[in-house]
Amino acid sequence: MTAFSRALSMSPMTRLLHHTELSVIVPVRNEAAGLAGLFRNLADQQEVELELVLCDGGSTDGTAEQARQLAQSAPFPVTIVETEPGRGNQLNTGAATATATWLLFLHADSHFPDPLSFRRSLDYLAAARDAAPNALLAGRFALRFRRQETAPSFAYHYYECKARLDRPECSHGDQGLLMERKTFAAIGPFLTTLPMLAETRLADTIRQRGKLLLLPAEIATSARRFETEGLAARQALNAIIMNFAAQGWEPFFRELPSLYRHQDEAGKLQLRPILKRLGESIRDLTPRERQALWQGTGRYIRDNAWQLAFALDALRSFHGNLPPGAGTTTCLDVYDRHLDRITDNAAGRWLAALLARIWLRRGTD
């Protein structure tokens, strides 16, 4: 057993002393304004004994002090721990601090409309575990966005549909991650080198080694970052991050913190300076390194071209006023059966790389 696994293990005596069923682990940084809503929503959950573990990664707005005040009247135990900055560090510290059998990794701005969300989800995962006792199982919630603008939006509908798919890189931290302690000990810890992708990478590890199930409950996550920064710019940056993370290109991630502000400090996302610095970093590479980077980029884009087909399916369900996940995936099925094979070659990857280079050049003009 590794040191990480030992930290997550609990002795029989310790388990007798703790009757909490679920540990809700929430990384926070300057979240004082939204903590009251989090506490209220957790208090609304019925038929479950839970504890809240807040992992503060260096707040300067009084988050920890606000949490201590709220904890005095909370109907569940609250533990506040201070950690090094970075979501991976915060989540790992929270997991080691938690006392329950089940762990739920959650964002501070997430909300559960159904007061039985936790109960139904725990029962669902427990039944799946009993049916496959040797499998590594975890769950994520069906995503909905809480938006200030109430008009229907295809873009948000698309991402809500995509979050319900069982495909790599379709599950992120805003969906929550629910699993048993022993499962986390087997597949963890969260990556600390790429804090923006800590939950995404763990979700994909679960998919590779077991099953990541869609839980029978919805999670409503704030769209504040998209609304503040701009949805198109934010998703473009997300795609860039995912691409270079897949290739392990470290120079980009060394530059990114100085170019990108924390969420609590963010305004409209200015993508041009990031693209400009990205272009400069690419030009600093040797010809061989540059060629390898563009080859990897072409491969990544080609591998994710299925999203164009899926967007057509989502558009049809959007115009049909269907809820996310309720429509058919006819276009995606055709892509998987035919078009994926046709484009999975050097020509398809080079074409994707060429389009990416054109987009980057136009973005910096």
Side-chain angles (χ1 to χ4, degrees):
M1 181 181 293
T2 65
F4 173 72
S5 299
R6 286 195 297 272
L8 290 172
S9 299
M10 298 175 65
S11 68
M13 180 59 69
T14 303
R15 293 191 182 278
L16 287 174
L17 294 174
H18 293 89
H19 304 287
T20 304
E21 182 179 13
L22 175 66
S23 293
V24 182
I25 300 164
V26 181
V28 292
R29 184 184 183 278
N30 293 344
E31 295 282 359
L35 282 183
L38 172 68
F39 273 70
R40 283 195 303 269
N41 191 236
L42 293 180
D44 287 340
Q45 289 298 307
Q46 301 173 8
E47 300 183 20
V48 61
E49 293 293 327
L50 64 85
E51 69 169 353
L52 173 61
V53 181
L54 284 175
C55 306
D56 189 2
S59 295
T60 57
D61 69 341
T63 291
E65 293 77 7
Q66 174 75 352
R68 292 187 185 97
Q69 292 180 9
L70 292 168
Q72 294 177 9
S73 57
F76 45 78
V78 179
T79 301
I80 303 166
V81 293
E82 296 183 0
T83 74
E84 293 294 322
R87 189 174 296 277
N89 285 323
Q90 292 170 262
L91 292 167
N92 290 333
T93 301
T97 304
T99 64
T101 301
W102 292 90
L103 308 178
L104 171 59
F105 301 98
L106 188 68
H107 284 189
D109 59 1
S110 294
H111 179 89
F112 293 91
D114 183 357
L116 291 175
S117 294
F118 290 178
R119 181 70 272 147
R120 290 171 176 161
S121 298
L122 288 167
D123 291 345
Y124 182 83
L125 269 184
R129 175 203 59 199
D130 293 342
N134 296 323
L136 289 173
L137 301 175
R140 85 278 191 203
F141 295 92
L143 178 65
R144 286 278 199 168
F145 284 108
R146 298 200 326 270
R147 302 165 50 216
Q148 293 182 347
E149 175 60 54
T150 58
S153 167
F154 167 67
Y156 285 102
H157 178 81
Y158 167 77
Y159 288 114
E160 290 171 347
C161 291
K162 181 185 170 186
R164 287 163 166 77
L165 294 178
D166 187 19
R167 286 177 175 251
E169 299 186 2
C170 284
S171 301
H172 305 286
D174 50 11
Q175 289 182 256
L177 274 174
L178 177 65
M179 67 192 74
E180 286 187 280
R181 171 183 297 274
K182 63 180 182 181
T183 300
F184 184 62
I187 65 170
F190 287 96
L191 289 178
T192 58
T193 53
L194 295 174
M196 294 180 180
L197 300 178
E199 293 126 313
T200 302
R201 286 293 178 257
L202 191 71
D204 287 341
T205 299
I206 297 168
R207 279 197 174 91
Q208 294 166 4
R209 298 177 55 186
K211 291 183 179 181
L212 182 61
L213 304 176
L214 186 64
L215 298 170
E218 286 192 341
I219 185 171
T221 295
S222 172
R224 60 177 176 169
R225 167 166 278 182
F226 297 133
E227 292 173 329
T228 300
E229 298 183 348
L231 180 60
R234 179 65 217 182
Q235 289 300 340
L237 179 58
N238 286 347
I240 293 170
I241 290 172
M242 299 297 286
N243 170 44
F244 292 130
Q247 300 184 59
W249 192 43
E250 295 183 1
F252 174 74
F253 292 98
R254 288 197 297 266
E255 294 278 354
L256 188 59
S258 64
L259 296 170
Y260 182 71
R261 292 169 292 180
H262 289 287
Q263 177 171 324
D264 54 286
E265 303 164 348
K268 193 72 173 179
L269 177 59
Q270 301 298 319
L271 195 57
R272 187 180 299 273
I274 297 176
L275 296 181
K276 183 178 179 180
R277 186 66 191 95
L278 172 60
E280 293 170 353
S281 297
I282 293 175
R283 287 192 293 271
D284 289 340
L285 299 174
T286 66
R288 178 173 294 183
E289 291 172 335
R290 198 157 48 241
Q291 180 181 14
L293 185 69
W294 283 119
Q295 284 179 331
T297 297
R299 181 180 301 107
Y300 181 83
I301 295 174
R302 206 294 317 174
D303 290 347
N304 283 275
W306 61 266
Q307 295 189 46
L308 298 175
F310 181 67
L312 297 176
D313 292 322
L315 184 62
R316 187 171 60 251
S317 69
F318 177 73
H319 287 310
N321 294 319
L322 298 177
T328 60
T329 56
T330 305
C331 295
L332 180 59
D333 294 341
V334 170
Y335 180 90
D336 286 341
R337 286 197 303 268
H338 305 292
L339 296 179
D340 181 59
R341 184 176 65 254
I342 293 173
T343 61
D344 190 11
N345 50 52
R349 292 187 283 273
W350 274 115
L351 176 59
L354 177 61
L355 293 174
R357 294 183 70 172
I358 294 172
W359 177 82
L360 176 61
R361 183 170 299 175
R362 293 190 64 180
T364 55
D365 287 342

